[in-house]
Amino acid sequence: MLPLSEFTHKLESRQARIGIVGMGYVGLPLALLFSGERFRVTGFDIAADKVATLNAGNSYIVRILPEAIREAQKAGFRATADYSEIDAMDAVIICVPTPLDEHHEPDLSFVTSTVKAIAPHLREGQLIVLESTTYPGTTEEVVTPLLDGGNARGLKVARGAEQTGVQLAFSPEREDPGNDTVDRRDIPKVVGGSSAAATEMAAALYGAIFRRVVRVSSPAVAEMTKLLENIYRCVNIALVNELKQLCIRMGIDIHEVIDAAKTKPFGFQAFYPGPGLGGHCIPIDPFYLSWKAREFDFRTRFIELAGEVNMAMPYFVLDQLAAALNERGKTFKGSKLLVLGVAYKRDIDDLRESPSLTIIELLRKRGAEVAYNDPYFPTVGHGRKYDLNMTSAPLDHLGQYDAVLIVTDHSSYDYARIVDQAQLVIDTRNATRGIHSPNIVRC
Ligand SMILES: NC(=O)c1ccc[n+]([C@@H]2O[C@H](COP(=O)([O-])OP(=O)(O)OC[C@H]3O[C@@H](n4cnc5c(N)ncnc54)[C@H](O)[C@@H]3O)[C@@H](O)[C@H]2O)c1
């Protein structure tokens, strides 16, 4: 039997075993989707505490309830840190981080260490899919040589029309955390394999959980597709962030403009300004492409310009706050400030690259006494780029602060009450729309 027909048969009969490496914001929900379709899923992670939490039937991601983990366990889900179990999997999906290093360059160390760790355990006919966002060429230039050279059985990655060997594909993750308007199964899944068989196997695998699979001709096309999507967002957010600053000078409400513009039924998609970019995708992924472009003597000027505008936004918020404090005869030094929200966007428990962290650090450096509140983060310690060690302050006695800054517009906040009690509100998200008060500065 050819690998594809055998693989498809195993999928249809639910005998196929699925391994997902990296039980984070991407890997864990994906594991639950497969478990929901009665697949036996094994989650691999190097973080012992995550493995233990999952095997105890608990969750460490707020929007994933422990009941969902326990339901998945009934379908055979379990977590492990033992890579020797890779051998028993029919498909292995890699969802590990792809951050930037301190020089703002791609850090593929999580991907390469994962591939090196699984390579010795691979066997003929297995499908490996990389989902981590990365630059075009990673699957074939970085992952393939590691798989080819790392297997004691001498297995190689199948190319082109080859049927035998390890099948390798790239399929970008398109999750939008906190977005409940689209069912995850309705988000089409793009797949591109190193061989025709790999593309078909990946299409069959994802076809079991997603309603539509889009096949592309190579892993590089699939890798570039993800980057185009995120660069499109990054550039358009930069555009509205720049226009917001102009509108403020001109006395025009940018949100009113966007609301009017989006009534156009074609050729316009609404993007919204804010205090700066956050999350693991939009602030980071475009620079994967900028880096790769240099190899081709090419400068990605849109990406660089968008990065410049977006990175300056926390400083713009500080300027607006300084002006409002100044009007009240106050300075940063000695001011008591409350930042609302440290998550990088509304109603999620993820603070990676959050503009709040930058704003808090900048304010502290300028001598302000800063507190924060976030229902999703009772404490904030230190990460790769911040060292705050703070505890979420209660939302009472708002009058004690010289200003309250709305940096993340969580829907649990009562904005009318906040405006009513605070001396000054700096609103970076238009969260106070419809509320009239001379104490609001929208920026
Ligand atoms: N979070 C999102 O919304 C989102 C959306 C689209 C794409 N992505 C991309 O998906 C990838 C994963 O992102 P994430 O948000 O899930 O990251 P995450 O940090 O939440 O999770 C990654 C997990 O991988 C584990 N890990 C790291 N190295 C490992 C190794 N060698 N073996 C096993 N496990 C390992 C970590 O312990 C962690 O649990 C990234 O490339 C990211 O750019 C993320």
Side-chain angles (χ1 to χ4, degrees):
M1 220 189 283
L2 295 175
L4 176 60
S5 53
E6 190 183 327
F7 185 73
T8 310
H9 170 72
K10 278 188 148 184
L11 285 172
E12 283 167 358
S13 61
R14 298 298 189 256
Q15 287 164 24
R17 289 195 57 188
I18 295 166
I20 300 184
V21 186
M23 289 283 93
Y25 289 95
V26 167
L28 183 55
L30 187 64
L32 299 183
L33 272 184
F34 278 109
S35 298
E37 287 297 329
R38 297 178 289 109
F39 285 100
R40 192 169 151 205
V41 181
T42 305
F44 295 83
D45 206 293
I46 46 170
D49 54 336
K50 288 189 176 176
V51 170
T53 303
L54 293 174
N55 286 337
N58 289 320
S59 169
Y60 40 79
I61 296 179
V62 167
R63 67 201 149 83
I64 295 177
L65 299 175
E67 292 81 72
I69 307 292
R70 292 200 272 273
E71 203 51 45
Q73 285 176 323
K74 288 184 199 155
F77 171 70
R78 45 180 288 280
T80 181
D82 180 2
Y83 279 112
S84 68
E85 294 190 34
I86 289 287
D87 184 43
M89 302 298 132
D90 295 289
V92 178
I93 304 174
I94 301 171
C95 308
V96 296
T98 43
L100 292 171
D101 67 15
E102 60 274 21
H103 306 295
H104 233 62
E105 294 191 345
D107 174 2
L108 282 183
S109 60
F110 296 94
V111 172
T112 53
S113 62
T114 298
V115 175
K116 283 181 197 159
I118 66 172
H121 307 288
L122 295 183
R123 58 175 170 75
E124 173 70 38
Q126 273 177 320
L127 172 68
I128 313 297
V129 186
L130 179 63
E131 283 214 12
S132 304
T133 308
T134 184
Y135 58 78
T138 306
T139 305
E140 295 191 291
E141 295 164 13
V142 178
V143 176
T144 299
L146 290 174
L147 291 179
D148 280 349
N151 190 277
R153 293 168 182 152
L155 283 174
K156 301 272 182 234
V157 171
R159 274 96 155 168
E162 288 171 6
Q163 298 273 347
T164 54
V166 176
Q167 303 294 345
L168 176 65
F170 184 83
S171 178
E173 167 54 50
R174 285 173 151 173
E175 145 122 303
D176 182 15
N179 181 346
D180 297 326
T181 58
V182 188
D183 181 5
R184 194 124 187 258
R185 287 162 205 274
D186 285 328
I187 304 174
K189 196 83 172 103
V190 174
V191 296
S194 289
S195 68
T199 305
E200 289 311 314
M201 285 170 79
L205 172 70
Y206 289 113
I209 53 167
F210 291 99
R211 294 201 171 91
R212 188 171 162 222
V213 175
V214 180
R215 295 167 176 80
V216 294
S217 59
S218 67
V221 171
E223 289 160 337
M224 189 67 157
T225 302
K226 172 72 183 174
L227 292 184
L228 170 62
E229 292 166 10
N230 281 356
I231 292 163
Y232 172 77
R233 282 183 65 74
C234 179
V235 168
N236 279 289
I237 292 169
L239 174 68
V240 286
N241 274 336
E242 186 174 76
L243 291 182
K244 169 176 82 169
Q245 296 174 57
L246 173 64
C247 281
I248 286 173
R249 284 201 200 175
M250 296 175 80
I252 297 170
D253 178 355
I254 183 80
H255 291 279
E256 193 182 348
V257 175
I258 295 170
D259 286 347
K262 76 178 186 194
T263 59
K264 187 178 177 186
F266 49 87
F268 182 83
Q269 191 189 338
F271 288 86
Y272 296 95
L277 295 181
H280 187 27
C281 295
I282 312 292
I284 291 174
D285 303 346
F287 296 103
Y288 266 68
L289 189 62
S290 303
W291 178 84
K292 186 67 179 174
R294 275 185 249 146
E295 197 181 303
F296 297 84
D297 280 343
F298 195 93
R299 271 191 62 207
T300 49
R301 286 175 293 165
F302 271 103
I303 295 174
E304 278 154 38
L305 178 60
E308 194 182 309
V309 172
N310 289 327
M311 272 185 234
M313 292 315 291
Y315 295 87
F316 173 74
V317 174
L318 253 69
D319 286 347
Q320 298 291 303
L321 170 63
L325 287 174
N326 188 48
E327 262 180 30
R328 290 160 172 77
K330 296 177 184 176
T331 57
F332 281 146
K333 209 174 184 66
S335 280
K336 237 182 130 177
L337 306 170
L338 177 68
V339 168
L340 292 187
V342 285
Y344 77 84
K345 72 173 183 178
R346 181 195 304 161
D347 299 342
I348 65 162
D349 60 335
D350 188 349
L351 51 64
R352 286 177 291 179
E353 310 293 323
S354 172
S356 309
L357 304 171
T358 311
I359 288 173
I360 293 173
E361 287 201 322
L362 290 174
L363 289 171
R364 280 179 155 186
K365 270 191 201 143
R366 285 159 176 70
E369 189 188 319
V370 190
Y372 85 91
N373 173 277
D374 193 310
Y376 294 91
F377 290 96
T379 59
V380 177
H382 64 96
R384 268 161 69 107
K385 294 194 193 142
Y386 60 90
D387 189 10
L388 297 181
N389 298 311
M390 297 167 79
T391 303
S392 180
L395 263 188
D396 45 17
H397 307 300
L398 293 183
Q400 69 178 302
Y401 299 104
D402 296 292
V404 174
L405 287 82
I406 302 170
V407 184
T408 314
D409 51 344
H410 288 311
S411 50
S412 59
Y413 287 139
D414 178 348
Y415 293 103
R417 190 181 73 87
I418 289 165
V419 172
D420 190 46
Q421 295 183 359
Q423 296 182 38
L424 168 66
V425 174
I426 305 292
D427 179 4
T428 68
R429 299 279 192 180
N430 202 29
T432 59
R433 63 189 154 271
I435 302 172
H436 302 285
S437 163
N439 296 331
I440 303 173
V441 173
R442 296 193 175 94
C443 63

